Amino acid sequence: MTDLQEATRERARPMAPDDRRAAMIQAVIPLLKQHGRDVSTRQIAEACGVAEGTVFRAFKDKESLISAAIETYFDPLPLRTAIAGIAADLPVEQKLGAVLRLLRERFAGVIGLMSALRMTDAPPPPAIRAAGDRWMDLLHDLLAPNLDELGVPVELVAYHLRLVAFASSIPPFNVPHRFSDDELLALVGHGVLKPQGS
């Protein structure tokens, strides 16, 4: 049997229900960003590579699938995992830059999806509310080797990073000038790092 035939055979195997649901959720998230709640069940089925009936065997209705996609997308675990994966031996500015980029990506994605789904006036989803400040514990661990280079406590560093990342992820705040990660890192860095030689 060739590699292509083996790969085809692997793809043809039925998926476990939980795996199928997870795959459908991942397929529908880009559609929600593009079409919001106006996405059609036909578009969903095509993106998932299944018949429409299969979608409704996995999910009660379109709204159930949308709710599951929202919960998955807003899950804070991937952000925490990414922060935990930043190398502890990097220079402090590179650490701050990496966290800032992750936060900006997170906020831009969340804000974009909430806007597409017309959730701007709704309370934050449970996954966001549950996230709390646990990511700050990870930041504290990441910056533990650099405490003597910081001019403020790690908690305040976290608040600065979060504030700048959030504000710069709101589209109108980037007009007429679109802020780069490096510009924002310089803004935060000069506010939280001790001056050279001090």
Side-chain angles (χ1 to χ4, degrees):
M1 182 179 291
T2 68
D3 290 344
L4 179 59
Q5 288 171 325
E6 182 64 28
T8 303
R9 182 180 169 194
E10 288 292 329
R11 286 196 298 270
R13 288 180 181 171
M15 297 178 72
D18 287 346
D19 292 340
R20 182 177 294 281
R21 286 171 57 89
M24 288 181 177
I25 287 169
Q26 291 303 319
V28 82
I29 287 172
L31 291 177
L32 294 178
K33 290 180 178 181
Q34 183 177 358
H35 303 287
R37 294 183 186 277
D38 295 330
V39 63
S40 69
T41 55
R42 180 180 176 183
Q43 288 171 312
I44 291 171
E46 287 177 355
C48 296
V50 298
E52 289 186 54
T54 303
V55 175
F56 295 119
R57 282 194 294 274
F59 295 92
K60 181 175 63 175
D61 51 32
K62 185 175 82 169
E63 193 57 39
S64 297
L65 174 54
I66 290 174
S67 295
I70 291 170
E71 183 177 350
T72 296
Y73 192 77
F74 291 165
D75 181 358
L77 181 59
L79 172 64
R80 293 192 205 127
T81 302
I83 292 174
I86 298 170
D89 59 353
L90 287 174
V92 63
E93 286 205 43
Q94 288 186 33
K95 293 180 183 180
L96 294 175
V99 174
L100 180 60
R101 281 189 293 277
L102 290 170
L103 289 174
R104 291 189 79 194
E105 290 170 6
R106 168 77 171 167
F107 283 128
V110 166
I111 291 169
L113 186 58
M114 290 183 72
S115 177
L117 294 171
R118 300 185 288 276
M119 296 171 60
T120 50
D121 295 328
I128 290 183
R129 294 197 299 270
D133 291 334
R134 289 181 62 188
W135 72 274
M136 293 187 188
D137 295 334
L138 296 169
L139 184 65
H140 200 284
D141 292 342
L142 179 65
L143 296 179
N146 310 105
L147 295 181
D148 61 344
E149 299 177 72
L150 301 176
V152 299
V154 173
E155 290 74 15
L156 191 53
V157 176
Y159 294 141
H160 288 173
L161 290 170
R162 187 174 64 182
L163 176 66
V164 169
F166 178 74
S168 64
S169 299
I170 300 173
F173 287 7
N174 276 291
V175 176
H177 178 75
R178 183 169 183 81
F179 290 97
S180 70
D181 291 335
D182 288 341
E183 286 175 315
L184 294 174
L185 176 60
L187 174 66
V188 174
H190 290 300
V192 302
L193 300 181
K194 292 180 179 178
Q196 291 293 325
S198 63

